[in-house]
């Protein structure tokens, strides 16, 4: 049952990307995101029953990419009501901040000032360390200009630094099982929104989802 829901969730996740890539209106994309979260919930519930335990972590792995994307889409689609559920899916039902590294914790604190600091140091993927610097430059150093410079640098390297992801270069082989659905740095757009940055200098980047 958990595997079934994992497959269903991935299908809705892929459809969401396809809809955005195709330029569908946000009103058609938001319900797909709700289906994604519902799928994760069903998967966690099934695993909890199977293991006779609390609902475990189901949004994890892949260097934090899926977790960051899920948080970012909740923010960008105005689904803040789902953030508490997403936190639980990332950390497990009884996990506190179990699966949060520094960057995931910082993202969650931007959405909820009462969110506790993680007890874990460092980050799962070094690629995301620059996002921590973006946040610190705004909140601590009050330097939005440098924050934008860092985001510009991040987006310039975004595709190559994700070459370990299963979707990398999927546009070159449209018949494979990891079908091309679009490449988007939703986490960059979420930071622009949450930190109230002027993103006009970022529109040049192919992977920056400026329309959202």
């Amino acid at each position: 049952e958990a595997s079934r829901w994992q497959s269903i969730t991935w299908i809705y996740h892929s459809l969401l990307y396809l809809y955005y890539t195709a330029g569908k209106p946000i009103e058609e994309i938001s319900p797909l995101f709700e289906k994604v979260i519902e799928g994760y919930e069903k998967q966690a519930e099934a695993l909890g029953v199977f293991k006779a335990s609390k609902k475990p972590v189901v949004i994890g792995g892949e260097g934090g990419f899926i977790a960051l994307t899920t948080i970012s889409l909740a923010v960008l689609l105005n689904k803040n009501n789902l953030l508490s559920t997403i936190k639980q899916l990332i950390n497990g039902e009884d996990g506190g901040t179990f699966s949060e590294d520094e960057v995931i914790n910082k993202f969650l604190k931007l959405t909820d000032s009462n969110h506790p600091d993680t007890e874990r140091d460092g980050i799962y993927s070094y690629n995301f360390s620059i996002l921590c610097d973006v946040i610190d430059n705004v909140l601590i150093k009050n330097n939005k200009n440098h924050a934008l410079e860092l985001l510009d640098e991040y987006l310039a390297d975004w595709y190559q630094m994700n070459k370990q992801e299963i979707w990398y270069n999927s546009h070159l082989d449209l018949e494979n099982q990891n079908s091309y659905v679009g490449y988007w740095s939703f986490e960059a757009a979420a930071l622009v929104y949450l930190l109230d940055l002027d993103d006009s200098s970022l529109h040049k980047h192919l992977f920056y989802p400026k329309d959202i």
Side-chain angles (χ1 to χ4, degrees):
E1 185 72 0
S3 295
R4 188 172 75 88
W5 278 108
Q6 184 179 38
S7 298
I8 291 171
T9 302
W10 188 248
I11 289 169
Y12 277 119
H13 185 273
S14 297
L15 280 173
L16 186 156
Y17 266 66
L18 274 174
Y19 272 42
Y20 182 77
T21 301
K24 296 283 188 180
I26 295 299
E27 303 84 67
E28 294 183 31
I29 298 173
S30 291
L32 292 173
F33 182 71
E34 293 174 355
K35 289 288 188 181
V36 168
I37 302 305
E38 179 187 5
Y40 279 128
E41 286 187 281
K42 294 288 189 182
Q43 184 184 344
E45 183 179 331
L47 286 171
V49 170
F50 177 71
K51 297 179 179 181
S53 67
K54 297 281 189 179
K55 297 174 186 176
V57 173
V58 290
I59 301 180
E62 299 195 45
F65 181 83
I66 297 297
L68 276 185
T69 298
T70 307
I71 296 167
S72 299
L73 283 169
V75 169
L76 294 167
L77 296 172
N78 289 321
K79 296 296 180 181
N80 290 353
N81 59 308
L82 295 176
L83 281 168
S84 60
T85 299
I86 292 168
K87 291 177 190 178
Q88 186 180 102
L89 294 168
I90 290 172
N91 291 306
E93 188 175 13
D94 214 15
T97 57
F98 175 77
S99 292
E100 293 178 32
D101 64 353
E102 184 179 359
V103 67
I104 292 173
N105 188 260
K106 284 180 180 290
F107 264 67
L108 289 174
K109 284 185 74 69
L110 284 175
T111 68
D112 178 8
S113 59
N114 294 319
H115 184 73
D117 286 316
T118 178
E119 296 178 1
R120 291 170 176 253
D121 295 324
I123 55 177
Y124 298 133
S125 174
Y126 180 74
N127 294 332
F128 296 130
S129 62
I130 194 169
L131 299 181
C132 296
D133 294 337
V134 170
I135 295 170
D136 290 344
N137 264 275
V138 175
L139 299 187
I140 298 174
K141 300 178 182 179
N142 194 29
N143 190 341
K144 288 188 175 183
N145 287 335
H146 189 49
L148 280 167
E149 290 172 356
L150 291 171
L151 269 182
D152 185 75
E153 178 185 334
Y154 174 78
L155 287 165
D157 294 335
W158 186 86
Y159 188 66
Q160 283 304 313
M161 78 180 189
N162 281 299
K163 61 184 177 182
Q164 78 284 355
E165 300 293 343
I166 60 173
W167 46 259
Y168 181 80
N169 272 356
S170 58
H171 67 289
L172 299 179
D173 182 8
L174 299 181
E175 300 303 319
N176 69 14
Q177 62 179 354
N178 298 313
S179 301
Y180 171 70
V181 294
Y183 307 129
W184 301 110
S185 176
F186 289 116
E187 70 280 6
L191 280 188
V192 163
Y193 177 77
L194 289 167
L195 299 173
D196 191 27
L197 301 175
D198 177 2
D199 70 350
S200 54
S201 63
L202 306 179
H203 289 190
K204 63 189 176 186
H205 294 290
L206 185 62
F207 314 114
Y208 180 65
K210 61 181 181 296
D211 294 331
I212 205 168

